[in-house]
């Protein structure tokens, strides 16, 4: 029996309560995590975002047992990190930022060694299945040192999955991975999530977090400054833009539209920035028609996660 098979099923895959980490140093102490409390629901695709140095890696390293917390409590799959480190290691697979692979092992050997370290019997190992899932089946017998950076990144994901952990942590997993391989990697990770694996993702590609994550937490200067569903976070910034392409040239903005403060741009375009909660888009279109302008085309631009991220992190400095 493998270690993971003995784990119960909790409501929260990861839970932190007043988690604090202070790094002591000769030049003074550094507060890396400041009483962070958050819960990651079982089965979610959870994004952990923040600027460099915000505390994301410290949070992950405490979960993985690589860094000792100063105070507070953190559990992974109902296993407390300090009280049951073995249970936590059985419940979690971590894909680190660093490409820490033994260059003289083949991918098949690396996965078999990793499975052995987690007590997975040979009859239950899925080495070739996992390598095929991350697109490395044809490299099973190649030395790791001959693999490209993107292939090594995918091999790290494969290593993290050998013991079927219910929680998979991806720390900047697509750094240095080209677009095609990135899409292949995400396709596999989304399959894992659909099958019930809880995913914790840190990334600097905010568009990835927006597309993949159902919930997002933002850390800044060691503090938790936001934690909500992705949809509700996007609603926080009540702002959109509407670009109208007109049939005729304009020398200036009509006086009747001055209150809406549109920007007149080349190629017969008017750009309106507005708050959907206060100004329905229909009201803008009615005002444009009332001004005697004929609309040839229109496009809207939604608030994205980058806008939210910049707004929240700037406000919490």
């Amino acid at each position: 029996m493998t270690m993971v098979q003995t784990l119960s099923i909790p409501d929260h895959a990861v839970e932190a309560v007043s988690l604090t980490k202070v790094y002591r140093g000769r030049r003074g102490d550094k507060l890396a995590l400041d009483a962070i409390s958050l819960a990651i629901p079982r089965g979610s695709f959870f994004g952990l975002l923040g600027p460099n140095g915000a505390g994301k890696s410290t949070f992950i390293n405490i979960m993985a047992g690589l860094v000792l917390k100063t105070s507070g409590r953190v559990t992974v799959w109902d296993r407390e990190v300090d009280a049951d480190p073995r249970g936590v290691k059985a419940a979690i697979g971590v894909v680190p930022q660093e490409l820490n692979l033994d260059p003289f092992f083949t991918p098949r050997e690396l996965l078999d060694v990793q499975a052995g370290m987690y007590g997975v019997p040979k009859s239950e190992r899925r080495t070739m299945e996992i390598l095929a899932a991350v697109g490395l089946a044809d490299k099973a017998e190649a030395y790791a040192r001959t693999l490209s950076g993107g292939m090594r990144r995918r091999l790290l994901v494969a290593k993290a999955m050998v013991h079927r952990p219910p929680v998979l942590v991806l720390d900047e997993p697509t750094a240095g991975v080209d677009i095609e391989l990135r899409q292949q990697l995400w396709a596999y990770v989304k399959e894992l999530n659909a099958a019930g694996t809880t995913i914790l993702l840190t990334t600097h590609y905010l568009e990835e977090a927006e597309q993949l994550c159902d919930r997002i937490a933002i850390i800044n200067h060691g503090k938790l400054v936001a934690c909500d569903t992705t949809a509700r976070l996007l609603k926080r910034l009540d702002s959109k833009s509407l670009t109208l392409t007109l049939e005729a040239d304009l020398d200036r903005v009509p006086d009747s539209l001055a209150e809406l403060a549109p920007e007149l741009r080349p190629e017969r375009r008017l750009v309106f920035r507005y708050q959907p909660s206060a100004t329905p888009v229909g009201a803008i279109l009615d005002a444009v028609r009332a001004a005697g302008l004929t609309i040839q085309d229109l496009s809207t631009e939604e608030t994205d996660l980058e806008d939210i991220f910049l707004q929240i992190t700037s406000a919490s400095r």
Side-chain angles (χ1 to χ4, degrees):
M1 178 180 291
T2 64
M3 296 165 62
V4 173
Q5 289 174 312
T6 65
L7 300 179
S8 59
I9 301 177
D11 291 330
H12 293 123
V14 178
E15 188 168 10
V17 179
S18 298
L19 184 62
T20 300
K21 174 60 183 178
V22 178
Y23 289 105
R24 310 293 182 184
R26 293 181 180 179
R27 298 183 179 180
D29 298 341
K30 176 175 174 52
L31 181 62
L33 293 177
D34 188 359
I36 283 181
S37 295
L38 64 82
I40 299 177
R42 172 172 49 87
S44 65
F45 204 130
F46 194 94
L48 184 63
L49 309 181
N52 288 333
K56 305 185 300 297
S57 293
T58 296
F59 184 87
I60 289 172
N61 288 335
I62 290 173
M63 287 173 50
L66 301 176
V67 171
L68 297 177
K69 61 184 174 60
T70 302
S71 62
R73 183 171 180 268
V74 60
T75 59
V76 179
W77 215 251
D78 266 355
R79 269 58 179 174
E80 211 281 324
V81 168
D82 290 339
D84 187 8
R86 180 179 172 85
V88 169
K89 286 181 172 60
I92 192 173
V94 179
V95 181
Q97 291 185 37
E98 299 79 15
L99 295 172
N100 55 353
L101 295 168
D102 191 317
F104 298 102
F105 278 73
T106 67
R108 185 199 293 272
E109 291 168 341
L110 283 168
L111 264 60
D112 279 339
V113 169
Q114 187 82 351
M117 291 174 64
Y118 278 93
V120 181
K122 289 186 177 180
S123 61
E124 296 180 19
R125 295 179 189 177
R126 304 171 298 131
T127 299
M128 290 308 300
E129 175 190 332
I130 295 173
L131 288 176
V134 297
L136 291 176
D138 60 336
K139 300 292 184 181
E141 306 303 334
Y143 287 118
R145 67 176 182 271
T146 68
L147 302 180
S148 68
M151 291 178 180
R152 294 182 191 186
R153 185 74 60 185
R154 286 182 286 153
L155 183 52
L156 287 176
V157 176
K159 278 186 63 181
M161 294 305 302
V162 296
H163 59 298
R164 299 176 186 261
V167 181
L168 179 63
V169 179
L170 303 170
D171 193 5
E172 301 286 349
T174 55
V177 178
D178 65 44
I179 294 175
E180 183 179 356
L181 298 184
R182 187 183 301 171
Q183 291 175 341
Q184 186 178 15
L185 177 61
W186 286 135
Y188 176 56
V189 171
K190 285 192 284 188
E191 285 181 12
L192 291 173
N193 182 240
T197 301
T198 303
I199 308 295
L200 172 57
L201 167 70
T202 76
T203 180
H204 283 298
Y205 298 108
L206 297 183
E207 68 277 10
E208 284 187 344
E210 185 173 343
Q211 293 169 10
L212 294 167
C213 301
D214 49 65
R215 298 185 68 86
I216 288 174
I218 298 176
I219 296 177
N220 197 29
H221 297 298
K223 293 180 179 291
L224 184 67
V225 294
C227 185
D228 211 333
T229 65
T230 306
R232 283 199 288 263
L233 273 178
L234 291 173
K235 288 181 180 179
R236 281 195 182 192
L237 196 60
D238 186 20
S239 175
K240 291 180 71 172
S241 70
L242 170 68
T243 301
L244 302 180
T245 302
L246 307 175
E247 283 195 348
D249 291 330
L250 278 182
D251 294 329
R252 63 181 184 85
V253 175
D255 293 339
S256 60
L257 298 179
E259 187 177 345
L260 296 171
E263 178 186 350
L264 181 59
R265 293 185 180 178
E267 300 179 3
R268 304 174 179 177
R269 290 182 299 160
L270 276 179
V271 179
F272 296 83
R273 290 182 176 82
Y274 65 102
Q275 294 178 300
S277 61
T279 307
V281 68
I284 297 175
L285 296 176
D286 290 342
V288 170
R289 295 189 187 100
L293 304 179
T294 303
I295 300 170
Q296 187 180 68
D297 195 9
L298 64 84
S299 64
T300 60
E301 184 176 324
E302 300 282 349
T303 299
D304 61 19
L305 189 58
E306 184 174 358
D307 297 323
I308 300 293
F309 180 84
L310 292 173
Q311 183 191 60
I312 291 174
T313 54
S314 296
S316 62
R317 284 175 183 170

